Each structure stands twice: as structure tokens, then as C-alpha cells.
Amino acid sequence: MSTELKKALYNISALADLGQAITSESAFHEKIQAVFYVITGTFLANKGAILAYDTSSKKLETLTKKGFASTDLDPLAPEELLPLGKNEPCLLKDAPFLAVLGAEVLVPLWVRDQFIGALLLGDKVTAGPYTPEDLELLKIIATQIAITLNHHSLFVDLSDKLEENHRLYEEMRRIYHGTIQAFAAAIDAKDAYTQNHSHRVAKYSSAIARELGWNDHDIEGIYVAGYLHDVGKLAISNDLLNKVAPFTPEEIAEIRKHSTLSHNIAAKIKFPWKNVEDMVWHHHERLDGHGYPDSLMREDLSDGVRIITLADSFDAMTSKRPYREKMDVQTALTELRKCLNSQFDNKIMLVLCRVLDKEIKGELPEPEILPNLDKNSDLTIISSLLEGIIAELSAPPSAA
Amino acid sequence: MKQAQFSVASKLVGDAAVIYPKGYLNNLSGESLVKECGIYIRRGITKIVVNFSETDLINSIGISMLLQIMEDLRNIKGTICCTNMSKFLHDTFEMLGLIQHMTVFPAESDAIDYLKVRTT
């Protein structure tokens, strides 16, 4: 085989090496380093560098180099390269400024009309000249490197934009939650007895949803519904909300309007979560159809509605109201158990008990219910009660 | 066919370091060959024998690594000897014009004998 043929085969093999280096799954800098080895190994260059053009600083940044000292490449100004041919190798004799750098060949890297960077090579180790065949091959290689650098640059731009979008989304989300919490604070401020009630219902509901295996997006939705479930109370008079004496039938009817009012307010907001309006609207419905405002039956009540209903009642029972003292936790749980099937859902009650039991036993890293309960509660008694309810509700239904 | 991972072993014989690359010298793992030689050069060793008995193939990346070693040695006026080369390796080095820049021996012992009588 002639030397020319052997050299041609070696060059073809080098192009295959280049393709493999460019398409590898390595990190960008490893990829560029492998590409650089292919070039210096193909042309036997004693020096070399790959530089990328930074559009913001308008400077050439050295990605990798060999044989050049750190300041050798500083005199290379992008504007000197712009008049040269795109991806066309330029020899020292045609570009005298290369002598300052100690380079023999320079290739300005372009993709379409965009200047991407430059490739520099020094003399050959064998002291031979760069042949026309070398320059043809170098042009092909330079085009591939330019595309690789451009792809990386586009990828970095896209990643930056994605990160910025994510930051803006998180910022918007914080504002959104802040607004919702401000709403809730306004509701709770109307009624001295229900301070932080919306906050607690939001917490309890999301804790139950998480235990049920809901995804993070849906948990956030029920958290917001918990905050807004009583927003309609803004339209109910303070005197009525804080009334100590028993309500008249007219007053009861007036207070019951709050869930529909909550829905009307929430419906004006385009939530990114599903069913928030439904959860807000129907948090006073019952499984037996005796709830309000629509007397919906069991099959019409979503898990979300059932969760908010239970969380709302549990917090109402364990909080002081104008017309009664607060119940201790075990009494509240006993009352809830009495109302299973008629008012509350067995499955949701079981999950509430499991969450609370886990929180008491320290099995959950961030408890959401326990910190809001009476600090003087006897946790041993509560835990024992919870275990009983869990066992009862977990048991398979007995045959009739 | 899966290529075996490239690796390098070495030993000191008198005042010469003998390097044993093993596997296909074709990717960044070949940098270990340059590093191994660099360790000896930093210790003041100026004579390096590269025994290619377990490296049959080399590509442009591997050639680049070898160039680096040759230049590192040239900078300290050292000597590189290559031994036990396959025909493919020998033909490749010859075609590229590198053979004139290294001393080639059929066997490692020949290179060691040659280096014994060299002062640098």
C-alpha cells in the first residue's frame, strides 16, 4: 500500500474519530478535549488551541490548548479574524499576525453568519509543511467543531432561559401563595375565634392528601383550597360570625351561604390546580346527602371534598368557638368516628388517623397536624385511640 | 466487540522507566499514559521505554498522547524508545513520519541495553 493511500486511510479514520468524539455522551469539556487530541494527532501539531467567541464579552475564550503559554493567545482579537474566510484554514504566510502568536495555521470558525471561535495549530512535530490535503481535511474538521461549539452555546442559552423561567415561576408561585394567605388572614381576622383556621385546614388537608399518595401538584391544589374554603365569610357580617347566642334559622341560612360565596369568589381565579372551586364549594356536604349547599350524595363527593370536610370539622372541634370550649383531641376523634359513613368518609378518616399517629411517633420529618394541636394533650392516650380506630377501619368488612 | 479498558503499568529498570500501555489507545483514558510518563519525568528520569506488546492499535487520539510524551522528553533532552510494536503500529508511525523521532527496537531488552550506554 502506498504511503499516500495509508495517509488517506489515516485521515478517514481521523474523521471517524472526530465523529465519535463529537457525538459522545461526555461532558462538553471532555468532548472538546477529545476533539483537540484528534486534531493534534492528525496533523502532528506541536501547538494548538480551540477558542470560543463569547458574544457578551466579545472576546475569545480558550477552551483547550497545548504548547501555548497562558498569555500567548491574548493578542488574538476577534475583529482580526472576521475578514478571513469562514472555516477556511489560513496559513502564516497569508496572515502575518499569526507570527506574534507562534501559530502556523488559523481557522476562523463560523456557522452560517455567526462567528463561533477559532482553531489554531503550530508547526508539525515532523517539521513538514501543511499540505493542500491537510488544509482540505482541516476545513472539514473546523466546520464540525464550529457546529459543535454552536450547539453547546445554544444549549447553554436554552438552559439559562429555562433556569430564568423556573426562577420567575417560583417567584410567581410565592406571590400567588402570599396573596392566598393574605385572603385567608382577612377571613380569619373577621372572627377572633377562627384565627389561623384556614391555615390549619390547608395543612391538615395537604398532610392527608400526601399520605394518600397524591402528587405534589395536586397536594398544592388542596393546600390552596384549604386556605380559601371559607373565603365567602368575608361577605358575612362580623356580628353574625361572632355571635354567642344560638343562631336563628335565618341566621343559619345566612351563614350557610358562605360556601357558595367562597365558590363564587374562587371561580373568578384561574387556578393551575384542578377542583379547587369544587373543594371550596362543597366542604359542608355530607355523605348522606344532608349537607349544604347542594345536598350532594356520597358518589358526587370527590376525595378532595371529603378531605377538606374532615380537616375543617377536625379543626373546628379542636378550636374554641364563641358558643363552646374546644374539645380535646381524643373527644374530637371520637366524635368524628361517630359520624363516619353519614358525614365523613371512612378512608379519609383512616388516613387522618395514620398521619397523626405517625407524627406522634416521630415517623414524619415535618409534622403538619400535631404542632397545631393542644400542647397539653396526652399523646399516649391519643396514640392508643388512633391505633384502635386504625385497626377498626383497616379491618375487612364483615360479611352481612 | 467490547474493547478492554485501557490501562498502564510501569517499572524502573536502572535509570530508565519502562511503560506498558495495555489496550486500544483511542480515547481520553489514554491520558493515563502521558501522566505515567510525566511522573517519571518529574522524578528526573530522562529515558523512557514504551513497550507496546499489549497495544496493537492506535488512533489519532493515541498519536496525540504519544506526541505529548515525545515533546515532554524533548524538552528535557531525554530519549524515548518504542519496542514490541505490532506491524500496524510500526506502519502508522512510519507513515506519519514519527519513526525518525523515536528509537525503535524489536524487544524491550534491546532498548534497555541501548539506554544503558547512553548518558542522556
Side-chain angles (χ1 to χ4, degrees):
Chain A
M1 196 187 295
S2 70
T3 305
E4 287 73 23
L5 185 55
K6 282 181 186 169
K7 185 74 172 80
L9 285 175
Y10 181 76
N11 288 347
I12 291 169
S13 156
L15 285 177
D17 298 338
L18 181 79
Q20 199 163 21
I22 285 174
T23 55
S24 77
E25 290 177 3
S26 310
F28 174 70
H29 282 286
E30 283 182 11
K31 198 179 277 198
I32 288 298
Q33 191 58 44
V35 165
F36 185 60
Y37 282 136
V38 169
I39 297 166
T40 51
T42 303
F43 299 103
L44 309 178
N46 63 356
K47 286 180 169 184
I50 297 176
L51 303 107
Y53 181 59
D54 183 342
T55 50
S56 51
S57 69
K58 304 206 180 306
K59 284 184 178 168
L60 285 161
E61 177 196 340
T62 305
L63 297 180
T64 182
K65 66 180 169 59
K66 166 193 160 180
F68 290 109
S70 56
T71 54
D72 282 355
L73 302 172
D74 290 350
L76 191 60
E79 51 273 21
E80 281 186 291
L81 310 187
L82 300 181
L84 304 175
K86 294 175 181 175
N87 299 324
E88 291 285 351
C90 177
L91 290 168
L92 173 62
K93 63 182 172 60
D94 302 317
F97 68 88
L98 291 179
V100 180
L101 307 172
E104 182 64 25
V105 189
L106 178 144
V107 193
L109 303 175
W110 291 76
V111 171
R112 291 181 293 278
D113 291 330
Q114 198 176 349
F115 178 58
I116 304 294
L119 169 62
L120 281 168
L121 289 177
D123 287 327
K124 290 189 173 189
V125 171
T126 53
Y130 282 89
T131 64
E133 291 77 23
D134 285 337
L135 300 182
E136 275 303 309
L137 181 63
L138 192 52
K139 184 178 175 180
I140 295 168
I141 289 176
T143 306
Q144 295 302 313
I145 296 174
I147 291 168
T148 304
L149 294 184
N150 191 42
H151 280 176
H152 177 69
S153 171
L154 292 173
F155 177 75
V156 169
D157 284 352
L158 203 62
S159 299
D160 287 350
K161 285 195 174 77
L162 196 66
E163 199 174 311
E164 175 66 4
N165 280 351
H166 186 70
R167 196 189 61 73
L168 288 172
Y169 171 75
E170 285 301 322
E171 184 68 19
M172 207 172 70
R173 211 166 138 251
R174 270 197 295 277
I175 294 169
Y176 205 88
H177 277 280
T179 308
I180 286 165
Q181 285 172 22
F183 253 121
I187 307 158
D188 294 348
K190 278 180 71 87
D191 180 350
Y193 286 92
T194 59
Q195 273 193 350
N196 290 325
H197 169 68
S198 304
H199 170 75
R200 290 192 296 272
V201 172
K203 284 272 188 187
Y204 298 176
S205 300
S206 55
I208 295 169
R210 186 172 293 105
E211 182 70 15
L212 265 174
W214 285 25
N215 63 44
D216 287 346
H217 181 76
D218 290 343
I219 291 171
E220 193 173 15
I222 200 166
Y223 185 79
V224 168
Y227 258 112
L228 294 181
H229 76 284
D230 273 346
V231 70
K233 283 186 177 173
L234 287 171
I236 309 287
S237 81
N238 287 7
D239 291 344
L240 187 54
L241 290 175
N242 289 293
K243 187 179 174 186
V244 178
F247 295 121
T248 65
E250 292 75 22
E251 288 169 337
I252 290 173
E254 180 66 15
I255 282 192
R256 286 185 169 190
K257 286 178 184 170
H258 84 272
S259 54
T260 298
L261 289 167
S262 293
H263 167 261
N264 294 345
I265 293 168
K268 299 274 191 297
I269 304 169
K270 189 169 169 50
F271 291 106
W273 310 281
K274 59 186 179 189
N275 300 334
V276 171
E277 301 93 321
D278 177 52
M279 290 187 270
V280 163
W281 198 357
H282 295 120
H283 71 274
H284 281 295
E285 298 288 355
R286 299 165 50 111
L287 296 179
D288 58 11
H290 293 305
Y292 64 89
D294 295 323
S295 304
L296 296 179
M297 293 296 293
R298 176 186 306 268
E299 58 274 17
D300 300 318
L301 303 176
S302 66
D303 271 1
V305 167
R306 296 175 192 212
I307 292 171
I308 298 264
T309 302
L310 186 69
D312 181 36
S313 296
F314 180 59
D315 184 63
M317 287 176 179
T318 51
S319 305
K320 190 178 178 185
R321 289 293 153 102
Y323 45 87
R324 63 159 169 77
E325 285 302 311
K326 68 178 176 186
M327 289 181 195
D328 57 44
V329 176
Q330 51 272 40
T331 306
L333 289 169
T334 306
E335 284 301 311
L336 290 177
R337 181 159 63 166
K338 283 181 192 164
C339 302
L340 289 177
N341 280 321
S342 56
Q343 192 171 351
F344 306 115
D345 183 277
N346 280 14
K347 178 179 77 177
I348 305 302
M349 177 68 177
L350 173 62
V351 174
L352 168 69
C353 293
R354 277 188 182 149
V355 175
L356 187 52
D357 192 42
K358 285 182 183 178
E359 290 189 2
I360 290 171
K361 290 172 177 165
E363 293 172 10
L364 295 179
E366 290 175 22
E368 293 184 286
I369 302 174
L370 190 59
N372 293 297
L373 300 180
D374 189 344
K375 302 289 180 288
N376 297 319
S377 301
D378 187 331
L379 297 183
T380 314
I381 294 176
I382 296 172
S383 193
S384 170
L385 177 62
L386 287 169
E387 283 168 13
I389 299 174
I390 291 168
E392 179 190 326
L393 296 179
S394 303
S398 56
Chain B
M1 191 173 67
K2 193 179 175 188
Q3 296 286 342
Q5 180 68 32
F6 181 79
S7 63
V8 183
S10 67
K11 68 179 181 187
L12 202 57
V13 179
D15 60 350
V18 185
I19 313 292
Y20 300 94
K22 184 179 180 182
Y24 188 6
L25 193 45
N26 71 336
N27 59 34
L28 291 186
S29 63
E31 285 178 332
S32 56
L33 177 63
V34 181
K35 282 181 190 153
E36 191 78 3
C37 293
I39 291 169
Y40 286 106
I41 290 170
R42 278 193 296 280
R43 282 164 56 183
I45 300 292
T46 60
K47 300 170 184 176
I48 287 182
V49 177
V50 185
N51 181 332
F52 282 108
S53 57
E54 294 195 68
T55 298
D56 294 334
L57 299 169
I58 191 167
N59 73 351
S60 55
I61 295 179
I63 293 290
S64 181
M65 311 277 179
L66 202 59
L67 283 184
Q68 188 63 56
I69 297 166
M70 288 164 64
E71 286 170 48
D72 290 347
L73 279 168
R74 184 187 292 175
N75 291 338
I76 56 163
K77 295 186 169 45
T79 306
I80 181 168
C81 294
C82 295
T83 74
N84 303 79
M85 289 197 288
S86 66
K87 184 172 184 319
F88 175 83
L89 244 57
H90 191 278
D91 287 354
T92 303
F93 293 167
E94 191 167 45
M95 177 267 297
L96 292 172
L98 290 177
I99 215 91
Q100 295 93 311
H101 298 268
M102 56 178 70
T103 312
V104 177
F105 293 96
E108 180 187 318
S109 56
D110 301 330
I112 297 292
D113 290 343
Y114 166 78
L115 290 172
K116 269 181 193 164
V117 296
R118 274 185 75 93
T119 51
T120 59

